[in-house]
Amino acid sequence: MHFPFSIRRTSALLLPLLLAACSVPTEPRTTADAPAGKPAPVWPAPPAEPRIRWIGQIANPADLDIQVPFLSRVGNFLTGGDRGREQLVRPFGVGVDETGNLCVTDPGAGAVCYYDRARHQYRRWTKAGTVPFDTPVAVAKRSGLIYVADSGRQEVVALDEQGRVQWRITEESDRPSGLALDGDRLYVACSNTHVVRVYDLQGHALSQFGGRGVEPGKFNFPTHISTDGRGNIYVTDAMNSRVQVFTRDGGYVRTIGSLGDGSGHFSRPKGIAVDSQGRIYVGDALFDNVQIFDHDGRFLLDFGAAGSQRGEFWLPAGLAITPDGRIYVADSYNRRLQVFQYLAAP
C-alpha cells in the first residue's frame, strides 16, 4: 500500500512520540539546579547538626518527570503548543493528599494544577465546569476530591480528579483564603468576614468561629489554615501577626508568636502546615522565611531568606507537608515551588 507523501511524513514524525509514550518514569523527581559539586543548602548551617535540607524546585511538570498525555504531546508537536509544560506564574496555595499527590493553585494564571504521583500524570484546569477561575488561592485534597478556594469569585468548589464540579459554596463578601480538612469537616478561612466557616464534605454549613478583633479567638484577616490530625486547627491571623490554635469545634487553645522581628515572632504570617510529628511550619511574607515551632508553640529553627537562589524566597505563601516529611513551599514571585526535607535526628 502506498500512502500520500504527507501521511508518510506525518507517520514518521509521530513514531518518536509513540515510542516515548511507552516510557514512563518510575518515580517523579524534583530538579536540583545546583552547580555540579555544590552541596544543597541545609539549616541550621554547619557545624550544627542539619535539620532541613533543600532538595529541589518545581516550576513546571517537567521538573517532576510527569508524563504528559500522548495526545497532548502530539498536539504540541503539530501546533507548537505547550500544553503540559506550563510554567507556574504565581503559585500560592499548596496541598497534598493522603498518598502524596500534589495540588497547586496559581492565581497568576487563573489555574489549578494537579500532579498525580502514582499515575505519573499532570492535569491543569482554568475553569470549574464552564466558569473560569478568577483568583484560586487555596487547595486541599482527599479521597479523590479537590477543594479549591477562589477568593475572586468568593466561592469554594469541589472537583473530582477529572476536573468535574461536584458542588460549590458561595458566600457573599467572604473572600475565602485558606482551606483545611479534618475528619469529616472542611474548614474555610474567610478574610473579609474574619471568621473560619466549617462545612461537611458535601458543602453543607455546620458552624463558624472567630470575628474581627485582637482578643484571643478573634481575627484580623485570617489567611491560611491547617490541621494536625489530632483535632487541632491552626489559623494564620495575618494582621494580628500571630498563629492561633483551636479545637475542631472552634474552642480557643493558644496563640503562637506575636509582632516582632526576632525568632518566634511574625510580621505577615502566611502559609501554615503541621508535620506528622506535630511540628508547626509558618511562612512569613515579609521576612521571606519559614519558622518551625514544636507542638506547644516553642520556636525551634527557621530556614530561608530573601532572594531567588536555592532556599531563598520572594513572598512565600502556601505550605504543605507529606507524611514522610517532604515540605513544599509556594515561592510566589520566584514562580516556583521549593522542596525541602526534614532530616531525622541521627
Side-chain angles (χ1 to χ4, degrees), residues 49-289:
E49 190 71 34
R51 286 292 175 264
I52 298 289
R53 174 178 288 124
W54 181 92
I55 61 172
Q57 67 177 30
I58 302 166
N60 57 57
D63 290 341
L64 280 167
D65 275 353
I66 292 292
Q67 182 77 8
V68 179
F70 171 67
L71 291 178
S72 294
R73 284 185 286 153
V74 171
N76 291 342
F77 184 80
L78 296 177
T79 67
D82 64 353
R83 186 179 179 190
R85 297 196 298 269
E86 294 90 347
Q87 176 81 21
L88 292 172
V89 177
R90 185 163 52 89
F92 198 83
V94 189
V96 293
D97 67 9
E98 60 272 22
T99 60
N101 296 320
L102 177 66
C103 300
V104 182
T105 64
D106 187 349
V112 175
C113 306
Y114 173 47
Y115 303 91
D116 187 326
R117 295 181 64 182
R119 299 183 179 90
H120 303 284
Q121 292 178 351
Y122 160 79
R123 297 185 179 92
R124 179 178 185 269
W125 301 289
T126 56
K127 297 179 180 180
T130 60
V131 180
F133 287 117
D134 185 311
T135 313
V137 292
V139 64
K141 183 178 184 294
R142 187 201 293 162
S143 302
L145 281 185
I146 300 168
Y147 305 87
V148 179
D150 189 327
S151 64
R153 295 193 57 81
Q154 300 187 38
E155 71 175 14
V156 175
V157 59
L159 311 173
D160 66 16
E161 292 181 355
Q162 306 305 315
R164 294 182 291 251
V165 175
Q166 305 302 297
W167 48 258
R168 298 177 187 270
I169 301 169
T170 301
E171 300 285 351
E172 290 297 327
S173 303
D174 253 5
R175 293 192 71 85
S177 57
L179 297 176
L181 295 161
D182 183 70
D184 58 355
R185 297 183 181 185
L186 172 67
Y187 294 82
V188 183
C190 302
S191 291
N192 266 15
T193 48
H194 312 280
V195 299
V196 171
R197 298 189 188 275
V198 188
Y199 299 87
D200 67 19
L201 300 187
Q202 289 73 48
H204 302 125
L206 299 176
S207 62
Q208 69 178 50
F209 57 91
R212 192 165 195 178
V214 298
E215 307 88 351
K218 300 295 185 179
F219 301 117
N220 194 8
F221 293 96
T223 58
H224 293 71
I225 188 167
S226 186
T227 61
D228 63 4
R230 300 174 177 86
N232 296 304
I233 313 301
Y234 300 80
V235 184
T236 52
D237 187 7
M239 299 303 290
N240 283 330
S241 300
R242 64 189 181 185
V243 169
Q244 296 197 73
V245 187
F246 299 84
T247 67
R248 72 190 310 262
D249 294 321
Y252 172 79
V253 176
R254 71 174 67 90
T255 292
I256 300 173
S258 60
L259 179 63
D261 59 5
S263 297
H265 296 274
F266 302 116
S267 178
R268 290 292 179 267
K270 288 283 190 182
I272 186 166
V274 184
D275 70 15
S276 60
Q277 301 303 308
R279 290 178 290 256
I280 304 155
Y281 300 67
V282 185
D284 195 296
L286 189 62
F287 296 157
D288 287 313
N289 69 1

Side-chain angles (χ1 to χ4, degrees), residues 254-256 278 280 293-298:
R254 71 174 67 90
T255 292
I256 300 173
I280 304 155
F293 301 82
D294 70 11
H295 174 73
D296 295 318
R298 292 183 291 260

Side-chain angles (χ1 to χ4, degrees), residues 15-25 67 70 73:
L15 181 59
L17 292 175
L18 287 166
L19 295 174
C22 299
S23 175
V24 179
Q67 182 77 8
F70 171 67
R73 284 185 286 153

